Amino acid sequence: MATMDVAPDGDRMTVILWGELDLGSRRLLPDLHDILTLSGSGIDLRLDAIGFCDCSGLNMLLDLRMRALDQGKTVTLRSSGLAVERLLGLTGTRELFSDSGPDPDAGGTTPSAARIASPREEAVRPAGSGTAPREGADQELRTEVAQLRRAMQTRPTIDLARGILMASFGLSPESAWSVLVRTSQNTNTKLHHLAQDLVSTVHGTELPEQVQQQLAAAVASASVLSEAATCPVSGAVEDRA
């Protein structure tokens, strides 16, 4: 369970989180929304002390960022630990929380900051000053975020399926992921559909025969690769002995 501390920093709010960012961390969203509203330009996140982060936690961060976009503000990730960085890297969402503050060398704002203007800026913007391109970029960004959020909604099921494979066949997280991807490709089944079918087997539902065959082949292949990777190390130890 995550907890947080808040410190004003000029027109922004610095939020420090520690603990675990999972499904239970969504209880923090109402407070984060209030903090965002009180800020002048947005929130800076410091997640160094987050020891665990899953897709539910990432969904929470995306939700907060979407709320910020609606208010013409930003949510910036100033620092984070390995758990957060790994998930952001796997999902390709790291740049969504990159620094979008002013660039002192450029004498203006970065492209990211320029894409979302505040209501006050819209009110004083002169006619013909490029509103249409800005609105197009704004809509493109919103569409990208919406697509990412929809993708993240399937991740908890995929993570459960990986866990089932790891527990059932003694696979590493990486090998379980490879098994899912290979079986999905060989059976022409969408990854999240395959994951859902695997999760359903816990309740007694059987997989189609073709899926069972391809899954067994993928598991066998992953096990062979894993054994092959460890054999040279074992041999080296024996030689030194």
Side-chain angles (χ1 to χ4, degrees):
M1 182 177 297
T3 53
M4 68 178 179
D5 193 13
V6 184
D9 184 11
D11 65 343
R12 299 182 67 79
M13 293 285 194
T14 296
V15 175
I16 304 171
L17 291 167
W18 61 89
E20 299 183 349
L21 279 183
D22 51 19
L23 185 60
S25 62
R26 291 193 67 85
R27 66 181 178 80
L28 299 176
L29 266 180
D31 290 337
L32 288 170
H33 289 166
D34 290 342
I35 293 168
L36 178 64
T37 300
L38 292 172
S39 71
S41 63
I43 290 176
D44 293 328
L45 294 173
R46 296 196 178 276
L47 309 181
D48 307 78
I50 293 296
F52 173 82
C53 182
D54 63 9
C55 294
S56 298
L58 179 55
N59 271 326
M60 183 198 74
L61 297 178
L62 290 172
D63 186 292
L64 180 63
R65 184 177 183 278
M66 195 69 172
R67 178 68 65 97
L69 290 177
D70 290 338
Q71 298 181 19
K73 301 177 182 180
T74 59
V75 174
T76 300
L77 182 59
R78 293 299 181 185
S79 58
S80 59
L82 292 176
V84 175
E85 285 295 335
R86 183 173 183 274
L87 184 57
L88 293 177
L90 287 172
T91 56
T93 54
R94 182 63 178 85
E95 64 182 21
L96 294 179
F97 300 95
S98 61
D99 187 3
S100 58
D103 183 353
D105 295 331
T109 57
T110 64
S112 297
R115 298 175 81 169
I116 304 295
S118 68
R120 182 181 301 174
E121 289 170 335
E122 288 292 344
V124 300
R125 185 188 297 274
S129 60
T131 300
R134 191 209 65 78
E135 290 179 349
D138 184 8
Q139 183 58 44
E140 180 182 348
L141 182 59
R142 290 175 183 273
T143 300
E144 177 186 353
V145 172
Q147 291 172 345
L148 283 169
R149 293 184 68 188
R150 284 195 296 270
M152 287 301 97
Q153 290 174 357
T154 67
R155 295 292 303 194
T157 302
I158 293 174
D159 288 342
L160 282 174
R162 289 176 66 190
I164 291 172
L165 291 175
M166 291 165 62
S168 299
F169 303 105
L171 299 175
S172 67
E174 294 77 12
S175 294
W177 176 256
S178 298
V179 167
L180 279 175
V181 172
R182 180 175 177 181
T183 305
S184 170
Q185 294 174 342
N186 290 344
T187 59
N188 196 26
T189 305
K190 290 185 177 180
L191 189 61
H192 67 275
H193 288 163
L194 174 62
Q196 184 60 62
D197 290 343
L198 277 171
V199 172
S200 297
T201 61
V202 175
H203 304 289
T205 303
E206 292 188 1
L207 293 172
E209 184 176 353
Q210 180 190 12
V211 175
Q212 291 185 35
Q213 293 174 353
Q214 293 297 332
L215 181 65
V219 169
S221 177
S223 298
V224 169
L225 291 175
S226 178
E227 291 176 1
T230 58
C231 280
V233 176
S234 300
V237 172
E238 292 174 359
D239 291 342
R240 286 196 300 268

